[in-house]
Amino acid sequence: TQLLEQSPQFLSIQEGENLTVYCNSSSVFSSLQWYRQEPGEGPVLLVTVVTGGEVKKLKRLTFQFGDARKDSSLHITAAQPGDTGLYLCAGLLDSNYQLIWGAGTKLIIKP
Amino acid sequence: ETGVTQTPRHLVMGMTNKKSLKCEQHLGHNAMYWYKQSAKKPLELMFVYSLEERVENNSVPSRFSPECPNSSHLFLHLHTLQPEDSALYLCASSQDLSDTGELFFGEGSRLTVL
């Protein structure tokens, strides 16, 4: 069974703080995606990382794919209340079109 | 309309009822998916269709029955469900099965089984 473990499961911080969310696996992925899901909505794709060691930035969000393509992190700088949501990572294995999903990190940013 | 649209947004049903969830995508995608989302659990892939042909059925109980009449529409027919089937059911689409797997989701149908 392939697992993608996300940590922490829950994080509540004050506006302006920095945070990092992790996504770890023993499997090697051909690509990995990060989604954000707001209450009452479906997940929305934020970024896809493909190359080991790749770093992508989306405004205050920085995504990194591990060198071995087994793990990824999402770092948010100066978090805003609008960043509140459920962050999901999902990896794609070379041998299969099916995404392997993490259980998500529920993030609350307090004003 | 654009994107992926799901109806109804909320559904409450008894265990003996029969109901259907509907999904429509306006993106011209060739693949469509049904996922089940339960709290604190990874998304569970239920069914996958590519060009209207079912390509995956991940050991889903027969009380869930999918239907894909064309590449833009996907249904999930529900009958004699159990309380543990209560969850958010998400429909998604992607350009093809063989791409990077980037999914476009609908807003979900929140199902409560009494």
Side-chain angles (χ1 to χ4, degrees), chain B residues 8-26:
Chain B
R9 294 292 308 277
H10 299 273
L11 179 62
V12 179
M13 59 187 289
M15 290 191 286
T16 58
N17 291 159
K18 289 185 180 181
K19 297 286 184 182
S20 296
L21 306 181
K22 179 183 175 182
C23 177
E24 184 173 2
Q25 59 100 356
H26 308 271

Side-chain angles (χ1 to χ4, degrees), chain A:
Chain A
T1 303
Q2 295 100 4
L3 290 176
L4 201 52
E5 296 185 6
Q6 280 190 247
S7 61
Q9 289 187 358
F10 177 77
L11 187 58
S12 178
I13 62 173
Q14 292 294 137
E15 180 177 2
E17 294 184 18
N18 302 331
L19 67 109
T20 302
V21 175
Y22 299 93
C23 184
N24 296 294
S25 176
S26 58
S27 300
V28 177
F29 296 106
S30 59
S31 64
L32 191 139
Q33 302 165 18
W34 285 92
Y35 292 79
R36 178 169 64 211
Q37 184 178 18
E38 299 185 18
E41 305 289 331
V44 176
L45 180 68
L46 296 173
V47 77
T48 300
V49 286
V50 179
T51 306
E54 181 177 5
V55 177
K56 281 191 173 179
K57 291 193 174 184
L58 189 66
K59 296 184 180 178
R60 294 175 292 99
L61 278 61
T62 301
F63 303 85
Q64 186 162 8
F65 202 12
D67 291 340
R69 292 185 288 132
K70 293 182 179 182
D71 54 83
S72 182
S73 64
L74 158 59
H75 182 78
I76 301 179
T77 304
Q80 304 293 312
D83 297 326
T84 292
L86 179 68
Y87 288 80
L88 299 164
C89 63
L92 192 67
L93 297 171
D94 273 332
S95 58
N96 199 322
Y97 59 84
Q98 290 191 33
L99 286 168
I100 307 299
W101 291 86
T105 294
K106 186 173 182 180
L107 177 63
I108 295 177
I109 310 299
K110 295 176 286 188

